[in-house]
Amino acid sequence: MSTIGKALSLLDTLSRLDKEAGLTDIARLCALDKATARRFLVELEKHGFVEQDQDTRRYRIGSAPVRLARIREARFPLLRVAIPFIKSLAETATETVHLSEFSGGQLSTIHVEDAPRAHRIIVDVGSLLPFHATASGLAFLAFSPRSEIDAALEKPLEKFTDHTVVDPRLVRNLLDETAARGFSISDQGLEAGVISTAAPIRTPTGHPIGCVAVAAPLSRTTKTAVHEFGAQAIAAANAISEKYYGSERPMGTSPKSGGQIDEPHGSLAKDTRHRNR
Amino acid sequence: MSTIGKALSLLDTLSRLDKEAGLTDIARLCALDKATARRFLVELEKHGFVEQDQDTRRYRIGSAPVRLARIREARFPLLRVAIPFIKSLAETATETVHLSEFSGGQLSTIHVEDAPRAHRIIVDVGSLLPFHATASGLAFLAFSPRSEIDAALEKPLEKFTDHTVVDPRLVRNLLDETAARGFSISDQGLEAGVISTAAPIRTPTGHPIGCVAVAAPLSRTTKTAVHEFGAQAIAAANAISEKYYGSERPMGTSPKSGGQIDEPHGSLAKDTRHRNR
DNA sequence: CGCTTAAGGTTCATTATTTGAACCATAGCT
DNA sequence: AGCTATGGTTCAAATAATGAACCTTAAGCG
């Protein structure tokens, strides 16, 4: 792996810790030599990506990402665009609605609107969404190129509940259903008693960048309601996609043709070149 | 320079551009070979720090910094950054210093450092600071967009003391003076016998998020002292802004001059698009 | 106290990664 | 067609990354 990759992985590891960490721990967690970890940290610190506490000597995420995030959001504000739609959906569905974004090979929650009810599903901002076990993950994969699906399903799939589907073949079936329907359903895939539906936010070329998901307690949710949430999630996701990418030509709105739009034909060589990871 | 440093500089350069950039431009701006720039970009893209537009092939800041920024802000809130500065200011001013943060449409006190004296001003953590009647409120409004000023002054303004200014026109005059001076003065606006000065903590775009204020008994405070407190409040507020958001200026390549640059944000940043946290 | 342990931090010969000139591919333009 | 600009790729040469061993400090403990 490249040095840059290693350093960024270190940053990622540091960000996933619950607390600030010392040099030795960081080196161990990243499987790096202490000297190497230190050099990375010093380099990252120079650029503001990490900070070392003066007293404890421990390291934490620095302020540079805050600056970059502001620039990104100013120039490319998914959150800004999406939040009104998420809010409105949470109101009409009267269930918790959350928004996820694909970044660095993972799908993570970037916004949550709680249901206006006492009994509701809680989702944390920042939480990671496994591809095979969440509605968001399924919706994301279902509209991704086959190569990404293969990559996601070749690692062992964790079984979070009795209902989690961990057989890659069965997951593929779910993906096919999702692609045909336009939205995904996860029946207690990540947590018992929770049913979710999700639809992908996509670039004008059809490539998903994140998802809109509705999460509800299974106990009060009928099959009809699930399908209604799904339809609403699609509507919200499409509205966000359109607003986010401006008035570019809206691609085929029929979810039917949704599946693997990306280059099903033509230069395979070219495709594989850009799809490293 | 290390590879990591070069890659992070590339990211920094990319972030300072007004628009998305192509490979050749990026390589030129960073004084890197095209091949090198490309390898960096690919590596950064893998980790979500940059994104390549599918159509234009241009590069932009990715979404990974957004995730890191959220974590940083959750784990290292304004309070932690600001307290050392507030403490130090309380010591040099030998008067009570308090810190406020704007949240939910109101300015509220989030930290207080008491003056090291028997006779001192008491401020409670959690207390709300009316915009028209406190130094913090005035400092906050003075650097806010006009729309926010208008909104704050259209409700009836409560008269807390004989000295409280409640005529919106006169309040606007105070705001103009504050904007020109860089810090606000509230002469017994909320409580008789107390004079306060405050300066805003601002985002890199100039939008205020809170204030640093010095509160002193009127009886022992000369006009000169007030202006000194004001200057110190500005210095503290700017130092906090910079530490919290990171420097907007190019990364100092000289590790030697690591010192704080605290110049006032004279910027007329018109970017009013900002996000909630 | 002095010994032990563990953490942060550093050195420098060895090793693997980075580098960039030259290359190819494609698209727009005359 | 030819020209030019851009994105993207290759591979021998140059350079930067590596890590075992080392130093330093501070806490823990008989």
Side-chain angles (χ1 to χ4, degrees):
Chain A
M1 191 197 269
S2 74
T3 309
I4 295 168
K6 280 179 262 181
L8 296 180
S9 290
L10 185 156
L11 202 58
D12 191 66
T13 303
L14 187 61
S15 79
R16 293 187 195 289
L17 264 31
D18 301 340
K19 43 168 184 51
E20 301 172 13
L23 174 60
T24 308
D25 289 336
I26 292 171
R28 184 173 38 76
L29 287 166
C30 300
L32 292 170
D33 185 86
K34 220 164 33 132
T36 303
R38 172 123 228 286
R39 263 177 293 111
F40 286 179
L41 286 165
V42 167
E43 209 59 42
L44 288 165
E45 187 174 31
K46 269 190 205 158
H47 292 261
F49 284 81
V50 306
E51 253 176 28
Q52 185 175 32
D53 192 292
Q54 287 294 314
D55 301 325
T56 67
R57 313 247 86 184
R58 291 162 111 72
Y59 297 88
R60 72 173 91 93
I61 300 293
S63 57
V66 180
R67 207 191 116 254
L68 294 178
R70 293 179 50 79
I71 288 163
R72 153 96 180 167
E73 296 270 319
R75 234 182 270 163
F76 212 67
L78 176 60
L79 261 185
R80 274 215 129 208
V81 170
I83 282 177
F85 294 98
I86 302 293
K87 276 205 164 93
S88 143
L89 177 50
E91 269 176 38
T92 51
T94 65
E95 291 295 356
T96 296
V97 178
H98 62 279
L99 173 70
S100 57
E101 188 174 18
F102 181 78
S103 165
Q106 293 172 314
L107 200 59
S108 56
T109 306
I110 63 168
H111 188 76
V112 181
E113 284 293 333
D114 283 345
R117 297 194 185 205
H119 179 207
R120 66 194 186 211
I121 307 306
I122 302 294
V123 180
D124 289 327
V125 169
S127 57
L128 294 179
L129 304 167
F131 288 110
H132 68 290
T134 63
S136 298
L138 292 171
F140 187 89
L141 273 195
F143 295 90
S144 294
R146 165 142 301 158
S147 56
E148 279 206 46
I149 297 176
D150 295 341
L153 298 183
E154 80 184 4
K155 308 163 215 159
L157 305 178
E158 187 172 348
K159 193 160 180 70
F160 296 98
T161 74
D162 289 344
H163 299 79
T164 309
V165 178
V166 291
D167 180 340
R169 279 202 348 238
L170 296 178
V171 174
R172 277 174 208 275
N173 289 347
L174 293 178
L175 294 180
D176 290 342
E177 286 170 27
T178 299
R181 205 167 36 209
F183 67 89
S184 62
I185 299 174
S186 166
D187 186 352
Q188 311 177 71
L190 186 61
E191 210 163 309
V194 177
I195 190 157
S196 299
T197 60
I201 296 167
R202 294 191 277 170
T203 67
T205 56
H207 197 87
I209 60 161
C211 289
V212 173
V214 180
L218 185 62
S219 52
R220 68 164 170 239
T221 310
T222 63
K223 202 169 177 180
T224 320
V226 167
H227 279 256
E228 227 160 75
F229 293 157
Q232 291 171 343
I234 292 176
N238 286 346
I240 292 166
S241 307
E242 205 166 318
K243 183 129 192 199
Y244 191 43
Y245 287 106
S247 48
E248 298 193 28
R249 98 189 82 244
M251 40 154 316
T253 35
S254 80
K256 193 70 188 310
S257 67
Q260 292 75 13
I261 336 100
D262 276 3
E263 70 277 328
H265 40 54
S267 57
L268 283 162
K270 180 180 181 176
D271 176 50
T272 42
R273 251 185 287 147
H274 299 146
R275 219 156 262 313
N276 39 20
R277 184 204 337 275
Chain B
M1 192 198 274
S2 74
T3 309
I4 296 167
K6 281 179 261 182
L8 296 181
S9 290
L10 185 156
L11 201 59
D12 191 65
T13 302
L14 187 62
S15 79
R16 291 180 198 288
L17 263 32
D18 301 339
K19 43 168 184 51
E20 299 171 16
L23 173 60
T24 308
D25 288 335
I26 292 171
R28 185 172 38 78
L29 287 166
C30 300
L32 292 170
D33 186 87
K34 221 164 32 131
T36 303
R38 173 124 226 286
R39 263 178 294 109
F40 286 179
L41 286 165
V42 167
E43 209 59 43
L44 289 165
E45 186 175 31
K46 269 191 205 160
H47 292 262
F49 284 81
V50 306
E51 250 175 33
Q52 185 176 34
D53 192 291
Q54 291 291 317
D55 301 324
T56 67
R57 313 248 88 183
R58 293 162 105 77
Y59 298 87
R60 72 173 89 94
I61 299 295
S63 53
V66 179
R67 203 189 120 258
L68 294 179
R70 277 194 305 268
I71 287 163
R72 153 106 179 160
E73 304 233 328
R75 227 181 279 158
F76 202 66
L78 177 60
L79 207 55
R80 274 182 77 182
V81 174
I83 282 178
F85 294 98
I86 301 295
K87 278 207 164 93
S88 142
L89 177 51
E91 269 170 38
T92 51
T94 64
E95 291 294 356
T96 297
V97 178
H98 61 280
L99 173 70
S100 57
E101 188 174 28
F102 181 78
S103 164
Q106 294 175 312
L107 199 59
S108 54
T109 306
I110 62 170
H111 188 75
V112 181
E113 285 292 332
D114 285 343
R117 298 193 186 204
H119 180 207
R120 65 194 185 208
I121 306 306
I122 303 295
V123 180
D124 291 326
V125 169
S127 58
L128 293 179
L129 304 167
F131 288 111
H132 68 292
T134 63
S136 297
L138 292 172
F140 186 88
L141 273 195
F143 294 93
S144 294
R146 161 142 304 159
S147 58
E148 230 155 303
I149 297 176
D150 294 342
L153 297 184
E154 79 184 359
K155 307 164 217 159
L157 305 179
E158 189 173 346
K159 193 161 181 69
F160 297 99
T161 74
D162 290 345
H163 299 79
T164 309
V165 178
V166 292
D167 180 341
R169 277 201 350 237
L170 296 179
V171 174
R172 278 176 206 274
N173 288 347
L174 292 178
L175 295 179
D176 290 342
E177 286 170 24
T178 299
R181 206 169 32 212
F183 65 90
S184 63
I185 300 174
S186 166
D187 183 352
Q188 311 177 70
L190 186 62
E191 212 164 307
V194 178
I195 190 157
S196 299
T197 60
I201 295 166
R202 294 190 278 170
T203 66
T205 56
H207 195 88
I209 60 161
C211 290
V212 174
V214 181
L218 186 61
S219 53
R220 69 165 169 237
T221 310
T222 63
K223 200 169 177 181
T224 320
V226 168
H227 279 255
E228 230 161 73
F229 293 156
Q232 291 171 343
I234 291 176
N238 285 347
I240 292 166
S241 307
E242 195 167 302
K243 178 115 196 214
Y244 191 53
Y245 288 110
S247 172
E248 275 288 278
R249 311 203 146 276
M251 283 296 163
T253 32
S254 60
K256 190 170 171 221
S257 69
Q260 240 83 325
I261 333 129
D262 60 344
E263 54 182 278
H265 291 74
S267 82
L268 306 171
K270 19 184 119 84
D271 187 357
T272 48
R273 291 169 305 177
H274 56 275
R275 325 175 310 86
N276 41 13
R277 308 187 297 122

